[in-house]
Amino acid sequence: MPDADRKDMKEKHLLNHTADKEKQPLSEGSNHAGNVSQPQKKLQEAICVLLVELCERFTFFGIVCNMILFCTVKLGYHNYQAAIVNMCFVGTSMLTPVLVGWLAECLVGRIKLVCICMFLHFLGTALLPVVAFPFEDIYIDRRHILHTLTKREQKIVFYFALLTASLGIGGIRAIVCPLSAYSLEDCGPKELLSFFNWFYWLVNLNSAVVFVSISYIQQSVARNLGFLIPFVSMLMAIITIHMVRGEMIYKPKTDSSLLTTFGVILSALKMCCMRYRYFGGGLTNWLDHAKENYGGQYSETQVESTKSLTRLFPLFTFQILYRMCIMQIPSGYYLQTMNSNLHFSGFVLPVAAMNVISIVPLLVLVPVLECINSNLFSSKDTGYSPTIYIVVGQFSAALSVMVAGFSEIHRKHFPQVEQTLSEEVLLVSSMPCFHLTPQYILLGVAEALVTPSCSLLSFWLVPERMRGISMHFLTLFNGAGCFMGAFFVQTAHSGSQGSWFPHLLHQGKLERFFFFLASLMMVNTLGFWTIAHRYNNLNQEYTSGFRASLPEEKLLKDGKGIKHYGSVLERSPILSPIEKT
């Protein structure tokens, strides 16, 4: 017995020592903030997280705002190739937070991964000026050139820089700026919609500044210094992260993951096929085959949580075609603007500055909608159903693309004139670029209505343990929309032998591309309208039934002390609405 007692005492001492080591970082963080009151500390954390988010968006928008002009003029790409590169970069930047979040969850430590992502982003933003810089203009003396990059070398460096920058973007969004940093656990649907509206409002205000400033610098005489601005902005983000790294990077605590969700779905499909082959059907829901009670390998809680998520898959699916329409701003609309008359009172407007017109509706509508919701509806009422906003927004997107087709026909009726962009003389239509304003406004209205509402439904209509997973799936489907947009452009160009997405717009039929996409979007809107009733009611009783009867739901609500220490996959980063630019 004494030996056994001694052994028990050693084990208890070891456990206590381990527990003290695990609590030590938290205690140090608490002592570090001991001189600051709790409200001030939360305010500092919120400000720092928001600053990092805005700096990251600043670098992102700065990279892509004139990418088509850079690819066509500097790298010699055709229009459809430049549009595909731009859309693929935007889509990759949407998908990398999911990948990095999984790496931080399963394979690599969060602090180490943050450092790696910071380095990758720094490397990417530093290499872009190398591609854009005019080495041929620098001489050692009057006879010798210092250095010249061939087209092939420029393209290799350019693609490598975009890849590393997108990986860095994923790390910042997934680890440094997760949704848990904003403490939304206790918010109701009305507060959540208000949060998403104002968050996107700030992000788009930031993007408007980028489009006006960076696009002009890149397009003017100092255009080759334009890519240095994302580099400087990234330095600001690194400094901000360094100042608050002890407050923002936390030890993860997970109770759900993407791998578990995919595992449930794959296990259910496997068991479902086996049962239909040998025993026939019998269960009301195909996902029940993944439960341990029916021969699967997952608990009832995991399967029921996955059920609540799969009910949102139709909502996610109808966002793919909508995202393809949104991606026309950095592709088809950009090309229309670039081939229109940009002169205004003796001043040449930057091409990307027209994107500000699509941001204005969001900057105007958000305060108006917030005023309506706060004055006309009680705190328990969510106001109009978010599905109404989504249907109206998708219809506005379809109308925008259709108007773009008519604008293209109208643009061709004007005589052609010479216009200088990035020291290249282009033959463009004499139609003023402001004639394209209606299509930008309609697409901006669509973004103001659709994106916050989709974020609300994705976040609210699942159990708390699945909210981050749900936001990740919304991100995955939005990223798929970007890649589908690139595939659609490639298919339209190849199928029409270059006519539907031409290199010279006045010789092609770009309007047919827009009309076909608008017809698809109209069908998509009608399809979503037929299933919108599934997501109409957001009251607490309905969502409790919608989320299914989960054994752990009540326990999770009773144990809400863990708010800020959620994992990457439990609290997903917020998706920017205008990742389209």
Side-chain angles (χ1 to χ4, degrees), residues 179-200:
L179 197 59
S180 58
Y182 298 96
S183 301
L184 302 177
E185 293 85 353
D186 297 323
C187 295
K190 185 175 181 179
E191 291 79 10
L192 284 173
L193 183 59
S194 178
F195 168 80
F196 286 124
N197 279 331
W198 285 113
F199 180 84
Y200 293 147

Side-chain angles (χ1 to χ4, degrees), residues 56-326:
E56 182 273 316
R57 304 297 180 185
F58 190 86
T59 62
F60 175 81
F61 292 133
I63 291 174
V64 302
C65 68
N66 268 334
M67 188 180 294
I68 287 185
L69 182 63
F70 174 77
C71 289
T72 53
V73 174
K74 186 73 176 179
L75 299 182
Y77 283 177
H78 292 284
N79 287 335
Y80 80 96
Q81 293 173 322
I84 290 174
V85 170
N86 204 3
M87 286 187 280
C88 287
F89 174 73
V90 175
T92 304
S93 299
M94 287 184 179
L95 299 182
T96 49
V98 181
L99 173 63
V100 174
W102 173 75
L103 290 175
E105 191 71 26
C106 303
L107 300 179
V108 186
R110 292 162 65 85
I111 301 296
K112 183 185 298 184
L113 196 58
V114 166
C115 296
I116 295 174
C117 291
M118 290 299 101
F119 172 75
L120 290 176
H121 201 297
F122 177 87
L123 180 63
T125 52
L127 285 177
L128 285 174
V130 174
V131 184
F133 200 85
F135 289 108
E136 64 274 10
D137 295 337
I138 300 180
Y139 295 83
I140 298 178
D141 52 39
R142 295 183 178 181
R143 293 174 296 174
H144 297 89
I145 299 177
L146 177 64
H147 181 60
T148 299
L149 287 177
T150 64
K151 290 290 184 181
R152 182 174 179 274
E153 292 171 342
Q154 283 184 329
K155 292 177 182 179
I156 292 175
V157 175
F158 180 63
Y159 286 128
F160 180 75
L162 292 181
L163 179 62
T164 53
S166 63
L167 290 174
I169 288 171
I172 297 172
R173 295 180 183 177
I175 302 177
V176 182
C177 303
L179 197 59
S180 58
Y182 298 96
S183 301
L184 302 177
E185 293 85 353
D186 297 323
C187 295
K190 185 175 181 179
E191 291 79 10
L192 284 173
L193 183 59
S194 178
F195 168 80
F196 286 124
N197 279 331
W198 285 113
F199 180 84
Y200 293 147
W201 188 88
L202 287 174
V203 170
N204 281 276
L205 181 64
N206 181 45
S207 64
V209 175
V210 175
F211 292 145
V212 174
S213 59
I214 294 185
S215 61
Y216 176 70
I217 293 176
Q218 289 176 330
Q219 191 173 306
S220 63
V221 178
R223 68 189 187 284
N224 298 293
L225 301 178
F227 281 114
L228 290 177
I229 295 180
F231 170 72
V232 173
S233 182
M234 190 57 222
L235 287 180
M236 291 164 37
I238 294 175
I239 294 172
T240 306
I241 296 171
H242 176 75
M243 292 172 59
V244 295
R245 66 186 186 278
E247 306 293 339
M248 296 169 59
I249 309 299
Y250 299 105
K251 183 179 179 180
K253 180 178 178 60
T254 63
D255 54 7
S256 183
S257 68
L258 274 175
L259 290 181
T260 302
T261 304
F262 283 120
V264 170
I265 296 174
L266 293 177
S267 177
L269 289 174
K270 180 181 177 181
M271 296 300 297
C272 188
C273 294
M274 292 178 60
R275 286 183 178 273
Y276 272 109
R277 182 177 180 181
Y278 296 107
F279 306 104
L283 297 178
T284 58
N285 192 300
W286 64 277
L287 284 172
D288 289 333
H289 290 91
K291 292 182 179 179
E292 296 173 337
N293 299 337
Y294 299 100
Q297 51 184 333
Y298 293 94
S299 66
E300 183 177 357
T301 299
Q302 292 171 327
V303 175
E304 292 297 328
S305 298
T306 306
K307 280 185 183 180
S308 66
L309 178 63
T310 55
R311 293 187 182 102
L312 293 176
F313 279 5
L315 171 68
F316 298 155
T317 303
F318 281 106
Q319 295 307 302
I320 294 179
L321 197 58
Y322 168 75
R323 188 57 49 181
M324 291 171 59
C325 292
I326 295 300

